[in-house]
Amino acid sequence: NFPPSSLLAPASSPGAMDSRASGRIAKLDEVLRQVPYQYQNKARLRSDVAALLQSCNTLQPQTGTFSGSGRTVTLFYLYGVLPITYNGNTYNIPVTMYFDPPYPKQPPRCFVTPTNGMALKPQHAHVDGGGMVYVPYLSNWSESSSTVPELVRILTSTFSASPPVHSTN
């Protein structure tokens, strides 16, 4: 379910990065056409996620239908990995960020989503046993001043200091 490793490769030149970024923005627009009317501020959602996709090539936009408590909803989300550096090595932390229809009035719900061969670290300071991420930036989210690129920067920094997953191999 995660992007192929080719998406994780650095761009060979600034021009290559621009064309890849425009491809990611085109995919974003395609995905946003599937987002239901309940999203009151699609323009802000597009603007915020497009700003992130300009520089981040490891997260992909998607919609999914989820059912529970007798109802079904279609949600916009980003999935992929956040590359971190820990003890001099680079690791990819798998994440999913759900944007509920009130966005940007409420922050995205962020989860660490371990893949085969990894597990959540028990009692992690910022990730609960279900993978939900808790950082002050999310709890202090401001519709007017908080941004998705800044959230991703904070998550990357937080996870670099203390990775939320470990290998089970």
Side-chain angles (χ1 to χ4, degrees):
N1 282 14
F2 290 94
S5 58
S6 63
L7 290 178
L8 304 179
S12 54
S13 70
M17 185 63 178
D18 291 344
S19 67
R20 289 183 190 165
S22 65
R24 290 192 299 275
I25 303 303
K27 164 113 167 120
L28 170 63
D29 287 335
E30 178 186 318
V31 169
L32 284 173
R33 283 193 282 279
Q34 304 164 30
V35 169
Y37 70 91
Q38 288 92 341
Y39 282 80
Q40 299 296 312
N41 202 336
K42 269 193 204 182
R44 169 75 187 271
L45 177 62
R46 184 197 184 279
S47 166
D48 289 358
V49 174
L52 174 68
L53 296 178
Q54 290 291 338
S55 60
C56 177
N57 64 349
T58 61
L59 294 173
Q60 298 294 313
Q62 190 65 271
T63 58
T65 301
F66 303 90
S67 298
S69 305
R71 58 188 208 121
T72 300
V73 296
T74 299
L75 296 179
F76 175 86
Y77 63 97
L78 294 172
Y79 72 95
V81 297
L82 295 180
I84 66 159
T85 302
Y86 180 71
N87 287 342
N89 296 307
T90 300
Y91 300 95
N92 290 321
I93 306 300
V95 297
T96 305
M97 301 170 69
Y98 294 95
F99 294 78
D100 294 303
Y103 181 86
K105 286 183 171 52
Q106 73 182 43
R109 289 179 295 126
C110 303
F111 292 86
V112 175
T113 48
T115 58
N116 286 340
M118 64 174 65
L120 291 169
K121 279 193 182 160
Q123 283 87 45
H124 189 274
H126 298 287
V127 180
D128 72 14
M132 190 157 187
V133 175
Y134 297 90
V135 291
Y137 194 77
L138 286 170
S139 49
N140 298 320
W141 183 265
S142 163
E143 178 180 1
S144 60
S145 61
S146 298
T147 69
V148 177
E150 180 68 4
L151 171 60
V152 167
R153 190 192 67 70
I154 288 168
L155 293 179
T156 301
S157 173
T158 299
F159 296 160
S160 291
S162 176
V165 293
H166 63 87
S167 173
T168 58
N169 296 336

